[in-house]
Amino acid sequence: MALINTLLEVNHLSISFGGLRAVDDLNLSIKKGELYGLIGPNGAGKTTAFNLLTGVYKPNEGIIRLDGKNITGLKTIEINKAGIARTFQNIRLFKDLTVLDNVKVGLHNLYSYSTLSAVLRLPSYRKVEKQMDKRAMELLEVFGLAESAHLKASQLPYGKQRKLEIARALATEPKLLLLDEPAAGMNPQETQELMSTITFIRDKFNLTILLIEHDMKLVAGICERLTVLNFGRVLAEGSTSEVLKNPEVITAYLGE
Amino acid sequence: MKELFKKNKDTLITLGIVTGAYIVIEILLKAGALSSLFKGLLVPLCAYIILAVSLNLTVGILGELSLGHAGFMCIGAFTSAFFSKITVGVINPGWLRFVFAILIGFFFAGLFGFLIGMPVLRLKGDYLAIVTLAFGEIIKNIINVLYIGRDSKGLHFSIKDSVSLGLEEDGQMLINGAQGITGTPKDSTFTAGFILIMITLVIILNFIKSREGRAVMAIRDNVIAAESVGINVTKYKLLAFSLSAALAGVAGVLYSHNLNSLMATTKNFGYNMSIMILVFVVLGGIGSIRGSVISAIILTLLPELLRGLSTYRMLIYAIVLIAMMLFNWAPSARAFRERMVAKLPFFKKKSAEKEV
Ligand SMILES: Nc1ncnc2c1ncn2[C@@H]1O[C@H](COP(=O)(O)OP(=O)(O)O)[C@@H](O)[C@H]1O
Ligand SMILES: [Mg+2]
């Protein structure tokens, strides 16, 4: 029985591609409100773990529980409705939609009106669209994207595209937010800003955050606990300061 | 009011262009300035515009390739013509019967879109093109061997010949195989075509700017990301595709109620027509609804306008095709157009928003 304040509980999670065990017996236990890091060398299986958690891949073995509910094997959209949202290592925005519309797609399941009221522009359409605009603008403001609301997503510079992905994920009102290398491609100053934004949204939206990151300054700066993966297996886990001192972890990184 | 205008600027411009064209043609008609050949082209032109705009919903907004749009037009044409033929004199006045005919064409074409989309759109990969291509041909061939007649005992069906219907002497042929349906009431007018174009445009443009339309475009841009924010991919693909098919059915209604004798041939409901509509969409700009309207108008009327120049006709036609393609798709031309548009005070600031 999972503890009442555990949000994500993963047991013996495994998946193989052909002969390769990309994730091998992963166990994770993340508390509500925690900022948790998943680190490890390239190809260690971190992104694959995210794909398992979000139903992109079905695990060969193992159980995933979110807030006590078994979500193993559910479809991606059901997992999102259950409360997990994510960003992608290779940015996946709706590139021909505006920045605002990208976030409004994230709001899709929280607001509703009929097809008919949209086509006829009935008052319910106008009212709900206004609410969606307002909510989406609030989210864009958190990430300093409000002025870019009417640009196409593909017109944003790289760093802002990463932020927009976080805003879109947050729009679905998740309990657990998964960030896959959020600082990749950012300069030190942008990374610094991102670190404060991540802690800010965790507090403002009562989130639990699991993030993958290579930037050790970011990891050491904001993650409370870490799990280190190497060749699909857990190499170490524990509080950030302990894990980063672990000789095995240091070797795994230097040996890369 | 002003805000309302700004928000719907693109829609209003598109509707304005269509209304303007309608008024000009009406004036020319009243003045007797149009040849009978040109007049005969007006209702088909309206049908082509509806076809191009509705196909753009599948190709440009949903991002799936359909090669059987004429098949859905065919369903709409025959179901509605059949309905009108058996209810002529029963449902009065005529315009009311025509409204029902339109709804029937819309419904049955949409139903077929749904039935075809259901298995195919679930698959990952581009299977829609091949399946719709086959569908268009199959529908046309089925209608060519379909015989339906009516007498005092009711309706009779056959897929062999008219004799095997065994009609009584005073019986009436409704659908006569390859000869199709004759004597459909001529309910289609240019004005009816104009109204149906306007309705189609309002439906599609408002759909695109709705929560569901955004979901469809999100799927087009990135399926995995759309799923990650809880978008039901199959549902919205089906919705967009069925709506696109249903509106093609409406074009079919318009087309069939303009003809005394409705037959399913390769030219009107076959592969050729599907490709021609696709050419309208591609040249007008994939995803640009206004572009589809304009390109359908130009490419339908141009061959007729050039008829006098018989020898050079196809050459000029080809040059126009190439010019349109360059204008719409070359990156430098697109950038140029965006700069020009940005210069108009009217468009300021919002130029980056996608025109639809
Ligand atoms: N769909 C797939 N098919 C085959 N192999 C895959 C697939 N996805 C990931 N892998 C492999 O699994 C391993 C882990 O990849 P990944 O999870 O992306 O690593 P990272 O820790 O860098 O995010 C890699 O060797 C990768 O090639
Ligand atoms: Mg990765």
Side-chain angles (χ1 to χ4, degrees), chain A residues 17 20 22 41-49 57 89:
Chain A
F17 299 112
L20 175 81
N42 273 324
K46 306 180 297 295
T47 297
T48 305
Y57 300 143
Q89 183 177 349

Side-chain angles (χ1 to χ4, degrees), chain B residues 66-126:
Chain B
S66 166
L67 297 176
H69 211 51
F72 298 113
M73 178 200 187
C74 185
I75 299 272
F78 276 86
T79 52
S80 65
F82 181 78
F83 166 81
S84 293
K85 192 165 157 105
I86 58 175
T87 57
V88 68
V90 179
I91 300 178
N92 286 311
W95 65 262
L96 183 65
R97 184 188 60 232
F98 191 47
V99 169
F100 282 126
I102 291 164
L103 293 176
I104 281 174
F106 179 90
F107 173 78
F108 280 100
L111 179 67
F112 273 79
F114 181 80
L115 293 176
I116 287 170
M118 193 136 75
V120 178
L121 292 170
R122 276 172 196 284
L123 304 172
K124 296 207 162 80
D126 295 323

Side-chain angles (χ1 to χ4, degrees), chain B residues 63-306:
Chain B
E64 295 274 343
L65 185 57
S66 166
L67 297 176
H69 211 51
F72 298 113
M73 178 200 187
C74 185
I75 299 272
F78 276 86
T79 52
S80 65
F82 181 78
F83 166 81
S84 293
K85 192 165 157 105
I86 58 175
T87 57
V88 68
V90 179
I91 300 178
N92 286 311
W95 65 262
L96 183 65
R97 184 188 60 232
F98 191 47
V99 169
F100 282 126
I102 291 164
L103 293 176
I104 281 174
F106 179 90
F107 173 78
F108 280 100
L111 179 67
F112 273 79
F114 181 80
L115 293 176
I116 287 170
M118 193 136 75
V120 178
L121 292 170
R122 276 172 196 284
L123 304 172
K124 296 207 162 80
D126 295 323
Y127 298 99
L128 192 68
I130 192 78
V131 173
T132 48
L133 177 64
F135 161 75
E137 295 306 298
I138 291 169
I139 279 298
K140 193 190 73 200
N141 290 332
I142 287 178
I143 286 177
N144 273 312
V145 295
L146 187 64
Y147 296 84
I148 302 180
R150 173 171 72 167
D151 60 19
S152 60
K153 293 205 203 82
L155 290 173
H156 300 255
F157 301 84
S158 164
I159 49 166
K160 218 167 128 230
D161 50 35
S162 55
V163 181
S164 39
L165 287 177
L167 285 184
E168 291 167 357
E169 225 153 80
D170 59 346
Q172 181 196 16
M173 277 310 283
L174 296 172
I175 301 183
N176 191 8
Q179 268 117 52
I181 301 181
T182 39
T184 312
K186 278 197 96 177
D187 291 330
S188 294
T189 59
F190 179 47
T191 302
F194 163 71
I195 293 170
L196 289 176
I197 291 173
M198 296 293 274
I199 292 174
T200 303
L201 285 172
V202 167
I203 290 176
I204 290 189
L205 292 170
N206 283 349
F207 177 76
I208 292 172
K209 288 194 175 181
S210 75
R211 171 180 163 271
E212 295 180 316
R214 281 192 298 267
V216 172
M217 292 185 285
I219 292 165
R220 170 196 68 191
D221 283 357
N222 203 307
V223 176
I224 291 178
E227 282 179 333
S228 84
V229 291
I231 303 289
N232 185 336
V233 169
T234 307
K235 175 180 165 187
Y236 288 107
K237 277 185 173 183
L238 253 182
L239 177 64
F241 184 67
S242 306
L243 181 59
S244 164
L247 291 168
V250 172
V253 177
L254 194 61
Y255 190 87
S256 64
H257 287 69
N258 186 46
L259 297 170
N260 218 319
S261 151
L262 176 69
M263 291 179 283
T265 65
T266 312
K267 201 164 150 278
N268 61 5
F269 297 125
Y271 174 73
N272 289 10
M273 175 69 103
S274 294
I275 296 298
M276 185 182 88
I277 303 301
L278 188 61
V279 168
F280 292 171
V281 171
V282 172
L283 290 179
I286 292 176
S288 163
I289 300 299
R290 193 186 305 153
S292 290
V293 175
I294 295 171
S295 99
I297 295 175
I298 293 178
L299 294 177
T300 307
L301 297 186
L302 197 66
E304 298 309 319
L305 296 175
L306 294 176

